[in-house]
Amino acid sequence: MKQKIIVTGGCGYIGSHTVVELIENNYEVVIFDDLSNSSSETIDRIEKITGIKPTFVEIDLKDELATNKAFKIHNDAKSVINFAAHKAVGESVQKPLMYYKNNLYSLINVLSAIEEQNIDGFIFSSSATVYGTPNSLPITEKNETQRPFSPYGNTKKMAEEILDDLIKSNKNLAAISLRYFNPIGAHESGLIGELPTGVPNNLMPYITQTAVGIREKLMVYGNDYPTKDGTPIRDYIHVVDLAKAHVLAVDRIVKKEQEEAFEIFNLGTGNGYSVLDVINSFEKVTNSKLNYEITGRRPGDVPQLFAAIDLAKEKLGWVAGKTLDEMISSSWSWEQKYRATHKS
Ligand code: UFG
């Protein structure tokens, strides 16, 4: 019999790719999503890719009663992966309470419900933002966390602290927090990918939307950082590699292979690329010129972030396999395919 996994935020960018990988690894998936930043069309697309339609529950996880009810119905789940959250850094600076409310109320409701229903596995979607401005590179999981620049980032740090306290109080519960570096790319089918609402904050969707003609020009935020070409360095990771790491984390929880009740893993490639590296790779892969201009720094950006990846390799048996060119060409295929049928 297939083991059931609940995926909150399963219609979103990383969530939908993870649902595909879970289904392809023989798990039964139930998606909980409020569709606030995603579309139910994604479920049909997941079915197109995998041949299986995951169960979908439209639910606002800020609603405690509704959350309890939904988890009661699916209390045979072996584990929960919690993606549901708002994620726009700039918006969180403008509307901090909206971020604390949405990301933390929903987390607390989900954790309360899984305790109540004796579901004993939890995987949290965290971020390298919890390292703040790192004192040393590459960043290992032992690097101290710092208060992140944005309320969004702070919800990730606070969520990990809530989880840590809960795990100490509940001996049955096991949790894994996965700290993502910079996810980009899309599924090779071109059927699912990143779809930001409004003007993108992140580099990759801004590049592809500029190239497809929705944005006029990419602004490169600063070329006076202490890096090889002056633009900031990040560890870009293919979303499908990231999704595969979630399946390995679920396996680890379900097979009770954890060494500690709360484990934390970085998910990156270990390679740092500058903004200009990404633009150059895009121009090479697409054989075109990107319209861009260097402008001033964006507040809150750190010069360099890249991951130490040894722990995920050793404990999860996971290594990211895809190159920067592959990440970029898949993002581009997705953008083009999506825009061919959707005009905005
Ligand atoms: N950048 C530009 N122009 C743009 C957008 C981005 O030059 O229009 C640059 C940024 O200055 C930065 C790099 O591209 O140097 C990457 O920026 P992103 O916004 O794509 O990613 P960040 O590293 O700022 O943020 C990501 C995630 C956050 C997470 C953070 C953790 O999107 O969710 O990593 O460090 F909090």
Side-chain angles (χ1 to χ4, degrees):
M1 217 178 78
K2 289 187 179 181
Q3 291 174 312
K4 185 187 276 188
I5 308 297
I6 295 171
V7 181
T8 79
C11 292
Y13 174 41
I14 304 173
S16 59
H17 287 82
T18 300
V19 170
V20 166
E21 294 301 319
L22 285 167
I23 293 173
E24 288 182 344
N25 283 276
N26 225 16
Y27 284 103
E28 180 190 343
V29 177
V30 179
I31 295 175
F32 288 0
D33 202 305
D34 67 357
L35 302 179
S36 61
N37 191 22
S38 58
S39 157
S40 59
E41 200 187 323
T42 304
I43 295 156
D44 301 327
R45 289 164 172 250
I46 290 170
E47 186 183 10
K48 262 196 199 138
I49 296 170
T50 63
I52 293 176
K53 192 172 194 150
T55 305
F56 171 60
V57 181
E58 186 171 349
I59 180 173
D60 177 359
L61 297 167
K62 294 194 295 308
D63 180 338
E64 190 177 355
L65 283 180
T67 303
N68 283 337
K69 215 168 127 191
F71 275 90
K72 196 167 179 189
I73 293 169
H74 294 286
N75 65 6
D76 53 338
K78 294 288 168 215
S79 210
V80 175
I81 310 182
N82 196 63
F83 291 106
H86 291 333
K87 60 172 187 179
V89 172
E91 184 185 51
S92 80
V93 175
Q94 304 300 322
K95 300 176 183 168
L97 290 182
M98 182 175 123
Y99 271 69
Y100 288 116
K101 232 187 232 176
N102 186 68
N103 293 6
L104 297 179
Y105 279 15
S106 60
L107 173 79
I108 291 167
N109 286 341
V110 168
L111 291 174
S112 306
I114 69 173
E115 266 208 316
E116 177 88 20
Q117 300 304 328
N118 296 313
I119 298 170
D120 52 16
F122 186 80
I123 292 168
F124 181 65
S125 165
S126 188
S127 165
T129 192
V130 300
Y131 295 115
T133 307
N135 311 322
S136 61
L137 289 163
I139 305 172
T140 77
E141 291 80 355
K142 289 199 164 59
N143 272 54
E144 253 179 58
T145 58
Q146 296 173 11
R147 192 195 189 292
F149 162 75
S150 69
Y152 154 76
N154 209 25
T155 67
K156 294 295 177 190
K157 182 166 179 291
M158 290 166 86
E160 286 193 350
E161 289 164 358
I162 291 169
L163 257 180
D164 191 44
D165 287 340
L166 181 65
I167 295 293
K168 285 177 186 143
S169 78
N170 180 340
K171 296 291 167 238
N172 298 320
L173 194 59
I176 293 179
S177 183
L178 299 174
R179 292 177 176 165
Y180 315 147
F181 280 67
N182 285 59
I184 62 171
H187 192 265
E188 59 178 5
S189 62
L191 287 167
I192 53 173
E194 185 171 16
L195 198 59
T197 37
V199 182
N201 293 285
N202 298 118
L203 180 63
M204 198 65 236
Y206 211 106
I207 289 178
T208 54
Q209 289 195 11
T210 303
V212 89
I214 300 174
R215 311 282 154 210
E216 196 206 326
K217 187 195 281 185
L218 171 78
M219 304 309 281
V220 173
Y221 298 132
N223 67 348
D224 58 350
Y225 286 93
T227 60
K228 58 174 186 176
D229 59 23
T231 62
I233 288 183
R234 294 288 181 274
D235 185 338
Y236 296 92
I237 163 107
H238 199 299
V239 66
V240 172
D241 279 331
L242 208 62
K244 290 181 196 294
H246 289 75
V247 177
L248 294 170
V250 168
D251 290 346
R252 187 168 171 87
I253 285 186
V254 170
K255 292 180 187 157
K256 302 200 182 302
E257 287 172 349
Q258 282 178 279
E259 290 165 22
E260 287 166 52
F262 184 30
E263 295 180 325
I264 294 176
F265 299 107
N266 284 343
L267 298 182
T269 64
N271 302 314
Y273 291 103
S274 72
V275 175
L276 292 180
D277 285 336
V278 174
I279 293 173
N280 292 337
S281 169
F282 182 83
E283 291 187 333
K284 184 182 80 185
V285 162
T286 60
N287 198 19
S288 66
K289 282 274 159 219
L290 185 75
N291 191 19
Y292 73 91
E293 183 186 322
I294 311 282
T295 179
R297 291 184 179 194
R298 181 171 72 174
D301 277 346
V302 301
Q304 287 205 61
L305 282 179
F306 53 92
I309 52 169
D310 313 75
L311 196 66
K313 185 175 177 186
E314 186 191 333
K315 306 291 182 194
L316 294 178
W318 175 85
V319 179
K322 295 188 190 285
T323 63
L324 184 66
D325 287 355
E326 286 173 310
M327 299 180 211
I328 289 174
S329 76
S330 67
S331 288
W332 181 230
S333 301
W334 151 251
E335 185 78 57
Q336 287 177 298
K337 199 162 174 176
Y338 186 82
R339 297 302 162 192
T341 48
H342 300 72
K343 283 302 157 206
S344 59

